[in-house]
Amino acid sequence: MSHMAKARFALAFMLLQENLRGIVITGLIVGTCILVIGIPIARRSSPIVTLERLTGTVATVLDASPSPDTGITGGFRYLYGIRLDENGPLVFVYDAAPRAAGSSVSIERQYRENGVDTFRLLRE
């Protein structure tokens, strides 16, 4: 090993020692962020076990478009609060089709293998 290579190695080792705490903290923060983002995605991607068709009434409508230029870039997207007819809970569903508050809609409840229920508006 040449004298220059030894000097480079010593410099790299010294810099690593000085910054080790920051490197570890940054690694922990990045790992935590990956888990926080990945866990909901993994829960949602669980296989569907059964489907159930339900009816409900649109209680709230919120514009959930990603940007103010949605008319140009990709259309509108809405978040609907739907009160189910069966026992009255309020569920939230994303959809691109406009629907008026108070209108009756059909939705599909998807029971997933991991115990999570997801909902989807059905086209009528």
Side-chain angles (χ1 to χ4, degrees), residues 37-102:
I37 293 169
I39 288 174
I41 292 170
R43 289 191 69 185
R44 189 164 174 92
S45 65
S46 177
I48 296 171
V49 179
T50 59
L51 299 172
E52 180 182 3
R53 187 181 175 121
L54 304 167
T55 57
T57 305
V58 176
T60 61
V61 181
L62 299 172
D63 180 12
S65 302
S67 74
D69 302 323
T70 55
I72 299 169
T73 59
F76 292 98
R77 188 163 179 194
Y78 303 98
L79 175 64
Y80 296 101
I82 300 173
R83 179 129 350 246
L84 298 180
D85 292 339
E86 65 175 28
N87 55 6
L90 186 66
V91 297
F92 293 94
V93 180
Y94 283 104
D95 197 52
R99 300 177 193 267

Side-chain angles (χ1 to χ4, degrees), residues 11 13-14 58 74 81 102 105 108:
L11 179 62
F13 185 71
M14 187 174 64
V58 176
V105 293
E108 180 180 76

Side-chain angles (χ1 to χ4, degrees), residues 3-49:
H3 205 289
M4 191 65 148
K6 287 181 184 179
R8 284 188 193 136
F9 180 73
L11 179 62
F13 185 71
M14 187 174 64
L15 289 173
L16 179 65
Q17 281 181 324
E18 287 179 12
N19 296 314
L20 187 60
R21 181 176 179 204
I23 292 169
V24 169
I25 290 172
T26 302
L28 288 173
I29 290 171
V30 168
T32 302
C33 289
I34 289 171
L35 286 175
V36 166
I37 293 169
I39 288 174
I41 292 170
R43 289 191 69 185
R44 189 164 174 92
S45 65
S46 177
I48 296 171
V49 179

